[in-house]
Amino acid sequence: MTQSPPSQTCPPEFIELATEMAEASAAVIRRYFRQSVAVDDKADQSPVTIADRETEAALRSVIAERMPNHGVIGEEQATTNPDAEYVWVLDPIDGTKRFITGNPLFGTLIALLHNSRPILGVIDMPMLSERWIGAKGRPSTFISAAGTSEAHTRPCPGLDHAALASTSPEMFEGGNEDAFERVRKAAKLTQYGGDCYSYGLLASGFTDVVIEAGLGTYDYMALAAVIEGAGGIITDWDGKALDLDSDGRVLAAGDTACHMEALKHLSGN
């Protein structure tokens, strides 16, 4: 298993900026949630709405004003300045299918990379008023109406004790079904439908393992700092640290023992 390489401590001004960005994106999303909006199909047949586009535009606007030399990789607009020392990775609405069907379990993902390594991540759930922030060199935090507290994963000795989460079994079609099924059958229970919320719940100690496939860069980059800052581990299915070239197959766990066992099942060993 390959551990993430060490990285610098995230400067506090970037945490403040990411918080400002999350507030800006939430304000846009709340205007459109459970309203009649047109839904378009992208080239990959995934849905997109004006809320996705305007939310990303709001995020980019904050970056352009405050950090004009930074790069941006987003789901809805073209990449800008990708070779910059600092690059933001944005998913304006992670879970658009839930958004368009009135389900509040969708989120906004904001990541900051330093020399291609994630040093900051935000999972923002705008309709729940819940937010996880992870930053290198600091413990992850969970923010809700009840206040702010540190987020901590929980111990889990093995998959037979584990709660497993994944967005949908359909994401494993096309060659990953057998590997996922080996882990699912070993787990104590399995739940579907979380999108990015499952990773927040893992960071707060309510879920033990999340396995997914077919994710884009903007789907997983924000998760790394949140999970690691909460005491968990997140890698690809080979145990390698996530980066811009990862293949979109993600394994996150709150306990190293669970992560190692899941890796063995995924590989068939």
Side-chain angles (χ1 to χ4, degrees), residues 4 116-118 220-221 223-224 228 234-237 240-251:
S4 299
S116 299
R117 301 300 311 167
Y220 61 75
M221 271 303 178
L223 310 174
E228 292 171 358
I234 182 167
T235 67
D236 67 12
W237 286 16
K240 297 177 182 177
L242 298 176
D243 58 29
L244 292 173
D245 297 319
S246 295
D247 64 7
R249 298 187 299 172
V250 172
L251 169 63

Side-chain angles (χ1 to χ4, degrees), residues 46 63 95 119 126 147 161 175 201:
S46 62
I63 295 168
I119 62 168
H161 292 75
L201 294 177

Side-chain angles (χ1 to χ4, degrees), residues 10-261:
C10 181
E13 59 266 29
F14 292 155
I15 301 173
E16 295 172 5
L17 179 58
T19 300
E20 180 181 336
M21 292 165 63
E23 295 291 340
S25 63
V28 175
I29 289 170
R30 288 173 183 145
R31 290 204 308 269
Y32 287 108
F33 183 58
R34 293 182 179 168
Q35 302 299 310
S36 178
V37 296
V39 180
D40 300 320
D41 291 327
K42 294 189 285 189
D44 63 359
Q45 299 304 303
S46 62
V48 62
T49 72
I50 188 173
D52 298 82
R53 298 187 180 105
E54 286 195 9
T55 299
E56 183 166 323
L59 293 168
R60 286 174 176 264
S61 177
V62 176
I63 295 168
E65 178 181 348
R66 300 281 297 280
M67 300 292 174
N69 295 326
H70 287 195
V72 182
I73 299 172
E75 183 174 13
E76 308 304 339
Q77 296 184 29
T79 297
T80 58
N81 201 14
D83 297 323
E85 179 181 3
Y86 290 98
V87 175
W88 296 87
V89 183
L90 311 173
D91 190 349
I93 298 181
D94 181 75
T96 299
K97 293 178 181 178
R98 283 167 175 67
F99 173 82
I100 62 178
T101 55
N103 186 322
L105 296 183
F106 60 86
T108 297
L109 298 175
I110 301 168
L112 178 62
L113 312 184
H114 179 245
N115 294 327
S116 299
R117 301 300 311 167
I119 62 168
L120 173 64
V122 177
I123 303 172
D124 188 63
M125 307 297 295
M127 306 317 301
L128 304 181
S129 296
E130 295 182 350
R131 181 180 301 152
W132 286 268
I133 300 177
K136 286 289 186 180
R138 305 166 183 265
S140 292
T141 56
F142 173 61
I143 303 165
S144 69
T148 300
S149 60
E150 290 188 8
H152 298 286
T153 62
R154 66 185 179 189
C156 183
L159 288 176
D160 58 344
H161 292 75
L164 169 67
S166 186
T167 295
S168 169
E170 295 177 356
M171 62 174 33
F172 303 106
E173 295 175 354
N176 295 311
E177 301 100 322
D178 291 344
F180 173 73
E181 279 298 299
R182 288 192 293 268
V183 183
R184 185 192 66 78
K185 290 177 180 178
K188 184 176 182 179
L189 63 89
T190 301
Q191 290 188 318
Y192 296 110
D195 288 297
C196 61
Y197 197 46
S198 294
Y199 296 89
L201 294 177
L202 188 148
S204 287
F206 294 104
T207 296
D208 300 296
V209 180
V210 184
I211 301 178
E212 300 197 295
L215 302 185
T217 303
Y218 37 78
D219 292 314
Y220 61 75
M221 271 303 178
L223 310 174
V226 173
I227 297 298
E228 292 171 358
I233 182 170
I234 182 167
T235 67
D236 67 12
W237 286 16
D238 295 319
K240 297 177 182 177
L242 298 176
D243 58 29
L244 292 173
D245 297 319
S246 295
D247 64 7
R249 298 187 299 172
V250 172
L251 169 63
D255 188 287
T256 302
C258 264
H259 187 269
M260 293 180 65
E261 185 178 351

